Amino acid sequence: MGEQRTVKFPQEVIDEYAALGVDLPALFSAGDLGNRMGVQIVEASAERVVGTMPVEGNTQPYGLLHGGASAVLAETLGSIGSMLHGGTTKIAVGVDLNCTHHRGVRSGLVTGVATPVHRGRSTATYEIIISDEQDKRVCTARLTCLLRDAAGPAGG
């Protein structure tokens, strides 16, 4: 569902994870659900995460972008921001997702931008704005993640 793009992480973040044996850009360019839905992460830091998703292949029976697809994009972006905020010693686990759908989209690409509302020691909350190609708001979402201590770089 489209070409793979390289994720734009700050170099110090890439280096920090590389020291633990984790290829951070590869981690966020893969994933079964995201790949099936065509989600692409194009920018990622604790301050801002940007991703895109095609409408085609992610519609409900009326031909509109499925609300669940918007939720997947929102949770993906907010989780990445939360994980980057928590750093290598924490894993981010989504505990609350709220989505308000403002308008239908039938074609093209939607873009989500996640920015922090709260970044604490044990939780992180991100607002995610999803817009269409005309920069019209499609969905507003809010994700709160619990930040748990990681046993290792992948939390295992």
Side-chain angles (χ1 to χ4, degrees):
M1 287 193 127
E3 64 188 56
Q4 292 289 330
R5 287 181 255 170
T6 303
V7 180
K8 299 175 186 172
F9 287 98
Q11 189 60 48
E12 64 272 13
V13 174
I14 292 172
D15 294 344
E16 181 181 5
Y17 281 85
L20 298 171
V22 177
D23 181 352
L24 199 57
L27 181 66
F28 290 112
S29 63
D32 291 340
L33 182 59
N35 282 341
R36 271 184 292 205
M37 296 183 73
V39 172
Q40 296 289 320
I41 306 304
V42 296
E43 178 184 334
S45 72
E47 292 76 33
R48 177 178 156 95
V49 182
V50 179
T52 62
M53 181 179 66
V55 173
E56 183 181 359
N58 294 313
T59 57
Q60 38 89 312
Y62 296 117
L64 299 170
L65 178 65
H66 196 291
S70 293
V72 167
L73 179 60
E75 184 149 358
T76 299
L77 301 179
S79 293
I80 291 170
S82 296
M83 188 275 302
L84 291 171
H85 164 65
T88 57
T89 63
K90 300 282 186 177
I91 59 169
V93 180
V95 294
D96 182 63
L97 176 65
N98 175 280
C99 297
T100 300
H101 306 287
H102 305 292
R103 71 177 59 246
V105 182
R106 291 188 180 279
S107 63
L109 201 65
V110 291
T111 300
V113 178
T115 55
V117 174
H118 167 77
R119 290 187 295 169
R121 289 187 308 261
S122 61
T123 63
T125 300
Y126 280 76
E127 178 182 60
I128 304 94
I129 306 298
I130 300 174
S131 303
D132 65 14
E133 292 178 310
Q134 288 71 47
D135 206 27
K136 292 183 179 176
R137 190 177 294 213
V138 172
C139 176
T140 302
R142 186 188 67 249
L143 174 71
T144 298
C145 287
L146 176 65
L147 300 174
R148 299 182 58 192
D149 290 334

